[in-house]
Amino acid sequence: MKLSVISNQSNYERGLTSKLALVGASSVLALALCSVAAAAESSDQAIVTASALAAPAAEQDAQSSRDSSVVEEVIVTGLRGSLQRNLDIKRNSAGVVDAISAEDIGKFPDSNVAASLQRLPGVSIQRAGARGEPQGITVRGFGGDFNETLYDGRRISTATGGRSVDFSTVGADFVGGLSVLKTPDVSLSSSSIGATVNVQFPKPFDHPGRRMAVTASASVQDDAGKFVPTVGALFSDTFADNKFGVLVDAMYTRHDTQTNRVYVSGWPGGYYRPCQLTASCSPAQLTEGKTVLGWFEQQAGASQIYTKDERLDGRIALQWAPVDGVTVTLDDNYSRQSIRADNFGYGIWFNQDGLRNVKLDQNGTTVDFTQAGSQTDFTAGTDRSVLRTNQTGLNVKWDVSENLSFEGDASYAKSWLNPGGEVTSDGADVGYGFGIGPSLGISIGGGSKNTLPVLHGYGPNGDGARWADTSVIGSHVVVRQAQQNTDVVKQARFAGSWEQEGFKIKAGGTYLEDHYKFQQRNTFVNNFWQAYPGYGPASGPNGGVMVPANLFTARVSTKNFIPGFDGDLPPYLLKFDAHAYQAFLTSLGNPQTKNIPGFNYGGGGVGTQFTGAFDMALDNGSIRDITEKTWSLFVKANFDVDVAGMPFHFNAGVREENTHVTSNGFGQVPTAITRSAGDPTLLTVTLSNPQAVSTKSNYSYLLPSVDMKLELTESVHLRLDASRTLTRPGLNLLTPVASVGTGQRVGALTASGGSPSLKPYLADNFDAAVEWYYKPNSYAAVNFFIKDVSNFIVGGTQRQTINGVIDPTTGQPAIFSVTQQVNGPEATVRGVELAWQHVFGDSGFGFNANATIVDTNKPYDPKDISQSGFAITGLANSANLVAFYDKNGLEARVAVNYRKEYLRAFGQNQNTGAFGSEPTFENPNLQIDFSTSYALTKQINLFFEALNLTNEVQSTHGRFDNQLLDVFAYGRRYTAGARFRF
């Protein structure tokens, strides 16, 4: 495969910044220094012009004969030609843009868009743990919502509720190119502190004439062991003397992945009573205060996950040139991704007050303990999601004269998450405990990079040989959820520009409306989730029914479960199906018409409502209806002049954005909490009647920008850039109400709320770069950057009472861990990007290497246990190396990507501690990929790809290194196929 990396600041002209004086002073100093510098390259060096799609040879000869005075032109095709073309774009631009382009229609460097982007300086990826797929990107330490993704300059809708796009939903094969704008183009957008990613799709007028491409491949992942297909086709043609064109493409992609996972769902912080460090606590000691600081494992387990990921992409683009100077483009982009993940394993719940023999390390991490009477849960589930997106757009360009032009663009995009109301999660939980519950515990013997938590004392009555004895396993809970979201984005843009030699001005305006709706149904609202808790008669008199042994279909060994990790797991996992378990419980009949021993007749209304089917009820607290409308005006001007005989390019502009937000929801507060009769570890929260709540807010910001480029010599360029940008809060954070779940656990009461008046993050950005184009196809660059960011949104967690409701387990007002978002701190991010691209003459060998080093004045302090702990997420040093060979039709590429440990997010799956939102850190990751292709003929290309050659795993940890949260082993993936061009 062919990689085309553009480290360029394109012709994207920037705007006037409020920091203009500072930048101007810097540029004057730079000019003074550079005026005495020696030229790095001879000005008469031949320039190699490249094209990935070379013109016919006769046409090239004709052009040469028409103008014999121009510099000698040498046509270079293939990878090296593409690289040189990208360098030419870089040399002729004024700001900071990185990009990757397709080698040809239907031939993109990677099968995943995010995987390609990580080859660029300052860009790292985030993986979806269970699938191992590159899912999101981080640019200069800013990930997720800090980066805006556009399709051909248009915002794409996403029904997930955030601002970021899951790049695994973007089919890469027929993408024309990717541009990563690290400094803003005020005519396009200033709504990203990290970067603006513009996904460019091919159009029929790009390459007039008839073109066809077909791709077919099969891939297999190590443990899934099943070959699955990818097929696609593209057709493009122009007619009527190239006045009309049509392009159509479609792609079907499937990936199957089997992943092993070991997890601790959360490390809540709090305080122990001193007696808990011993084997027992007397009644008197239980009245003593809690004074010993510590973090403990809320829930620990392991599972195996089989994921089926199917994606269908389709696109049609029609272009019409009715008269000279007018181009009309109508296009429609469609995608549908369906993911099904079946899992089974075990998970064991712990309560801090119930722990004994507690051992703490010097940081307060609980490294060993026992819990008497522990329940052992065997779990199974099926998670599904269907994400469907369709965007239709119309663009009209009119070149009125050589100087004057206009452009109008409008689009409508809608995204659905589970458009058919699909059940998104079916969960089954069975096990044993209470009467035969062991005195169970966990030992932590090392760091999260290579050591698993070790479960000890497990098995009925502590008999490890009976760890998964199906004769004592009974029913526990059934969790079903159905989440349904929609997101509609309407947008329009109009601009006009005037251009003459050395000067261009462009002005216009945009309108963007984003309407997001969210709701969820589940079995917590009606309390059906605990219809049969208690683990059955073998575990005591608490309730539940015995589970037939034939529901368990296999035992899966845990030997070498996670490659490269020490620590033994229980010997095997029990495989069973959540749907079969639900069907078994339903087959017991209607407990309202007959007595069913083990049914939870006394559990929070279950006994009067449940009739046998695990129906779901609407969660009023989940309902969100949010509309965001933004009006923008912009103007920018470009100047090209000579300074002391050196070409100087100056771009300045400003963008004014005015945003109005309307947020609707339903508020409810707890009125009572009851303890389950079938399982005393479960709680039911009764809520008040829902009350409609609606709020409005608005804000306006002026976003200036300025870019300068000085060509010190033909080979050495200096860039200086400054801008102000913003990132809006995720739409899912703007709900006007706090939500309290109805189904909760003892010692882990939680609530969460949004804040409709959240303001966007603001950043003042500065860039200074030096680039040296020392030979054809080769360059070196250094780019320094600073980002001063304010209005950081912090997810603070506080422990508080709500409505004075009483906790039945303590007899005192219930304490909820309430998480809510607020604007707060400021921070500075600074760093340097290093890039080096080199081709070894005509040997066919070359490499592209880059590294990013970042730092901040607000690093995370694990010793800070205040409620308002804060740090910037996503910051990590990273490095990439791509070594390649391209000659005589053979291509080979090895890509090495490294990312150091970084703070991924605040919050864990179980976040009930006393010290705010606990952090999630991602451990260092090094991945090596290999790809190769061979041009069998001019029309047929064979290719092979191997991902994750060294079988790396993905792992995360909490506040301290030995607080493992998750480790996923997703194995290697191999792909082989062919491309056909006509």
Side-chain angles (χ1 to χ4, degrees):
M1 295 188 175
K2 300 180 180 179
L3 179 67
S4 306
V5 177
I6 313 171
S7 267
N8 71 56
Q9 165 66 45
S10 67
N11 295 319
Y12 296 100
E13 296 84 6
R14 314 300 179 208
L16 179 65
T17 182
S18 58
K19 311 296 182 180
L20 181 58
L22 175 60
V23 174
S26 301
S27 61
V28 170
L29 176 61
L31 288 171
L33 293 173
C34 295
S35 63
V36 297
E41 289 284 327
S42 172
S43 60
D44 62 352
Q45 178 181 2
I47 298 176
V48 178
T49 302
S51 173
L53 301 172
E59 187 176 326
Q60 299 163 19
D61 294 339
Q63 176 63 33
S64 297
S65 65
R66 282 193 295 267
D67 188 358
S68 60
S69 64
V70 298
V71 177
E72 179 185 1
E73 182 178 65
V74 180
I75 302 300
V76 183
T77 60
L79 176 58
R80 288 174 295 157
S82 179
L83 291 175
Q84 182 62 50
R85 183 186 72 236
N86 298 338
L87 291 187
D88 289 341
I89 296 173
K90 173 184 178 65
R91 295 177 67 161
N92 295 327
S93 57
V96 182
V97 175
D98 294 324
I100 297 176
S101 62
E103 291 297 314
D104 199 353
I105 287 180
K107 191 175 185 183
F108 206 69
D110 295 274
S111 57
N112 181 284
V113 168
S116 282
L117 288 172
Q118 73 172 328
R119 318 297 185 201
L120 298 173
V123 181
S124 301
I125 62 170
Q126 294 174 343
R127 295 185 180 275
R131 292 183 288 145
E133 291 277 354
Q135 188 174 28
I137 63 168
T138 296
V139 182
R140 294 178 167 180
F142 291 89
D145 291 354
F146 288 98
N147 302 305
E148 183 177 38
T149 299
L150 309 175
Y151 281 7
D152 285 327
R154 302 164 181 154
R155 169 92 69 82
I156 186 65
S157 61
T158 172
T160 58
R163 303 285 180 178
S164 61
V165 170
D166 180 351
F167 284 101
S168 71
T169 67
V170 182
D173 292 83
F174 295 136
V175 169
L178 302 170
S179 297
V180 180
L181 285 71
K182 297 177 181 176
T183 54
D185 176 356
V186 297
S187 68
L188 188 65
S189 173
S190 293
S191 300
S192 53
I193 291 176
T196 299
V197 179
N198 193 17
V199 181
Q200 297 130 6
F201 293 102
K203 300 175 182 64
F205 284 179
D206 292 346
H207 303 288
R210 180 171 297 175
R211 300 174 60 82
M212 294 180 64
V214 177
T215 181
S217 65
S219 67
V220 61
Q221 183 254 2
D222 276 340
D223 297 323
K226 182 185 295 185
F227 286 90
V228 293
T230 292
V231 292
L234 179 146
F235 172 82
S236 177
D237 203 355
T238 55
F239 315 94
D241 294 329
N242 296 328
K243 291 186 178 298
F244 182 79
V246 58
L247 183 148
V248 181
D249 66 58
M251 174 71 65
Y252 169 81
T253 305
R254 176 174 168 181
H255 283 167
D256 283 21
T257 308
Q258 182 172 293
T259 301
N260 293 338
R261 178 193 181 199
V262 175
Y263 64 89
V264 174
S265 285
W267 285 84
Y271 291 93
Y272 291 102
R273 292 182 174 88
C275 67
Q276 292 184 257
L277 277 60
T278 67
S280 63
C281 290
S282 67
Q285 289 174 318
L286 288 175
T287 64
E288 296 177 352
K290 298 180 179 181
T291 58
V292 181
L293 175 67
W295 286 262
F296 78 102
E297 302 92 323
Q298 183 80 83
Q299 185 183 35
S303 64
Q304 188 171 95
I305 310 160
Y306 192 99
T307 304
K308 178 182 177 182
D309 179 357
E310 294 182 287
R311 189 178 68 243
L312 179 65
D313 297 285
R315 185 169 184 272
I316 183 170
L318 305 175
Q319 288 191 292
W320 179 39
V323 296
D324 289 344
V326 176
T327 303
V328 181
T329 304
L330 175 67
D331 57 57
D332 187 271
N333 300 309
Y334 172 87
S335 69
R336 183 183 188 276
Q337 183 182 42
S338 175
I339 299 175
R340 175 183 172 126
D342 293 290
N343 67 83
F344 59 90
Y346 70 87
I348 299 174
W349 183 269
F350 301 102
N351 189 316
Q352 187 173 22
D353 287 344
L355 306 187
R356 300 293 183 268
N357 295 311
V358 172
K359 295 181 181 179
L360 305 171
D361 68 5
Q362 67 274 16
N363 292 320
T365 299
T366 302
V367 295
D368 207 345
F369 65 88
T370 57
Q371 177 177 270
S374 296
Q375 297 84 53
T376 297
D377 295 277
F378 296 94
T379 60
T382 298
D383 297 317
R384 309 176 193 83
S385 69
V386 177
L387 183 61
R388 190 173 78 204
T389 301
N390 195 83
Q391 183 184 62
T392 303
L394 177 66
N395 180 277
V396 179
K397 294 181 179 179
W398 180 23
D399 295 329
V400 181
S401 67
E402 291 183 356
N403 305 105
L404 180 64
S405 63
F406 295 99
E407 179 182 7
D409 190 276
S411 67
Y412 175 91
K414 186 170 184 178
S415 183
W416 299 260
L417 182 62
N418 307 312
E422 291 85 352
V423 178
T424 53
S425 179
D426 275 306
D429 193 326
V430 301
Y432 54 83
F434 304 120
I436 57 174
S439 185
L440 187 149
I442 291 179
S443 296
I444 305 294
S448 57
K449 300 179 185 66
N450 54 19
T451 307
L452 303 176
V454 175
L455 200 65
H456 57 77
Y458 54 80
N461 293 316
D463 184 356
R466 299 178 60 201
W467 152 251
D469 182 353
T470 58
S471 69
V472 297
I473 294 178
S475 64
H476 190 36
V477 297
V478 172
V479 175
R480 305 188 74 209
Q481 300 179 81
Q483 182 174 319
Q484 193 169 18
N485 304 357
T486 61
D487 183 39
V488 175
V489 175
K490 303 173 185 177
Q491 53 198 315
R493 181 178 73 249
F494 179 80
S497 64
W498 174 270
E499 184 174 4
Q500 63 187 47
E501 185 176 356
F503 174 74
K504 180 178 180 181
I505 187 168
K506 185 175 183 180
T510 65
Y511 170 76
L512 191 146
E513 178 182 319
D514 196 343
H515 186 195
Y516 170 68
K517 298 178 71 173
F518 171 102
Q519 69 174 30
Q520 186 184 92
R521 296 174 294 126
N522 57 53
T523 54
F524 292 116
V525 175
N526 52 22
N527 213 26
F528 286 6
W529 74 303
Q530 51 172 309
Y532 290 95
Y535 300 112
S539 294
N542 293 293
V545 297
M546 300 306 297
V547 176
N550 61 10
L551 286 183
F552 303 99
T553 57
R555 292 182 174 186
V556 176
S557 172
T558 60
K559 187 177 181 180
N560 298 322
F561 201 65
I562 305 293
F565 273 64
D566 297 326
D568 293 329
L569 299 172
Y572 48 81
L573 309 180
L574 279 176
K575 185 175 182 178
F576 68 107
D577 181 74
H579 305 92
Y581 170 62
Q582 292 177 19
F584 159 69
L585 294 178
T586 299
S587 72
L588 299 178
N590 183 354
Q592 311 305 322
T593 60
K594 66 176 182 178
N595 182 62
I596 302 178
F599 177 72
N600 189 10
Y601 284 100
V606 180
T608 59
Q609 301 177 30
F610 184 80
T611 59
F614 288 90
D615 299 323
M616 295 172 290
L618 178 63
D619 182 356
N620 292 302
S622 73
I623 297 175
R624 302 169 189 175
D625 189 332
I626 300 166
T627 302
E628 180 185 82
K629 299 179 180 179
T630 300
W631 291 263
S632 304
L633 295 174
F634 64 86
V635 61
K636 67 175 183 178
N638 310 331
F639 305 89
D640 296 325
V641 298
D642 280 352
V643 176
M646 296 177 289
F648 179 67
H649 311 276
F650 179 85
N651 304 331
V654 65
R655 184 181 182 95
E656 169 74 16
E657 295 199 349
N658 191 288
T659 300
H660 294 258
V661 178
T662 302
S663 181
N664 301 305
F666 290 89
Q668 294 175 280
V669 296
T671 57
I673 302 176
T674 56
R675 199 169 191 173
S676 172
D679 183 346
T681 69
L682 305 181
L683 298 174
T684 298
V685 180
T686 303
L687 300 176
S688 64
N689 293 328
Q691 299 291 323
V693 179
S694 181
T695 65
K696 292 185 178 181
S697 63
N698 62 82
Y699 51 83
S700 181
Y701 290 98
L702 189 70
L703 305 171
S705 175
V706 62
D707 301 317
M708 293 175 286
K709 185 186 74 169
L710 179 67
E711 299 182 23
L712 303 178
T713 70
E714 186 178 353
S715 305
V716 180
H717 295 180
L718 170 69
R719 302 182 190 275
L720 294 171
D721 310 90
S723 64
R724 169 168 282 192
T725 55
L726 60 80
T727 288
R728 291 178 173 83
L731 292 172
N732 58 329
L733 302 179
L734 300 179
T735 177
V737 299
S739 176
V740 181
T742 54
Q744 307 223 28
R745 280 186 176 270
V746 171
L749 291 168
T750 62
S752 62
S755 179
S757 60
L758 284 174
K759 295 297 188 289
Y761 306 80
L762 283 178
D764 292 323
N765 315 290
F766 306 91
D767 279 78
V770 178
E771 300 157 352
W772 179 28
Y773 303 92
Y774 58 91
K775 60 178 291 188
N777 273 328
S778 303
Y779 82 99
V782 180
N783 191 343
F784 300 90
F785 62 88
I786 298 175
K787 293 178 179 290
D788 291 320
V789 187
S790 58
N791 281 354
F792 262 99
I793 297 172
V794 180
T797 300
Q798 296 185 356
R799 293 170 64 84
Q800 65 185 68
T801 61
I802 302 179
N803 201 33
V805 67
I806 300 300
D807 185 340
T809 66
T810 64
Q812 302 295 319
I815 303 298
F816 291 81
S817 294
V818 182
T819 301
Q820 196 163 20
Q821 311 297 317
V822 295
N823 287 113
E826 300 179 358
T828 298
V829 174
R830 47 192 174 261
V832 58
E833 295 171 350
L834 308 172
W836 185 15
Q837 179 176 297
H838 186 82
V839 174
F840 296 93
D842 195 38
S843 67
F845 289 98
F847 67 83
N848 189 288
N850 61 72
T852 304
I853 303 169
V854 291
D855 192 15
T856 178
N857 65 335
K858 295 289 182 68
Y860 181 74
D861 180 6
K863 300 293 186 179
D864 181 4
I865 58 174
S866 67
Q867 292 282 347
S868 57
F870 165 74
I872 296 179
T873 60
L875 286 182
N877 296 340
S878 61
N880 304 294
L881 171 65
V882 179
F884 60 83
Y885 175 83
D886 175 22
K887 194 171 184 179
N888 300 324
L890 175 65
E891 297 177 26
R893 184 187 66 165
V894 176
V896 182
N897 302 105
Y898 171 77
R899 190 177 187 183
K900 197 175 179 181
E901 177 180 296
Y902 67 97
L903 176 61
R904 181 165 183 167
F906 282 97
Q908 300 171 1
N909 290 339
Q910 299 288 344
N911 203 101
T912 59
F915 309 132
S917 294
E918 289 293 322
T920 295
F921 284 88
E922 182 135 350
N923 284 319
N925 185 268
L926 175 70
Q927 179 156 324
I928 302 175
D929 303 328
F930 170 77
S931 62
T932 185
S933 67
Y934 180 70
L936 195 63
T937 68
K938 290 184 178 180
Q939 289 76 35
I940 302 175
N941 187 279
L942 307 178
F943 63 90
F944 172 78
E945 180 182 65
L947 304 180
N948 193 22
L949 286 176
T950 55
N951 202 20
E952 292 293 315
V953 303
Q954 177 187 352
S955 62
T956 59
H957 68 81
R959 186 177 292 253
F960 301 105
D961 176 70
N962 58 349
Q963 295 181 356
L964 183 139
L965 288 169
D966 263 309
V967 53
F968 293 95
Y970 46 79
R972 306 174 183 89
R973 188 183 304 279
Y974 307 96
T975 302
R979 295 186 182 92
F980 306 86
R981 288 194 320 166
F982 306 95

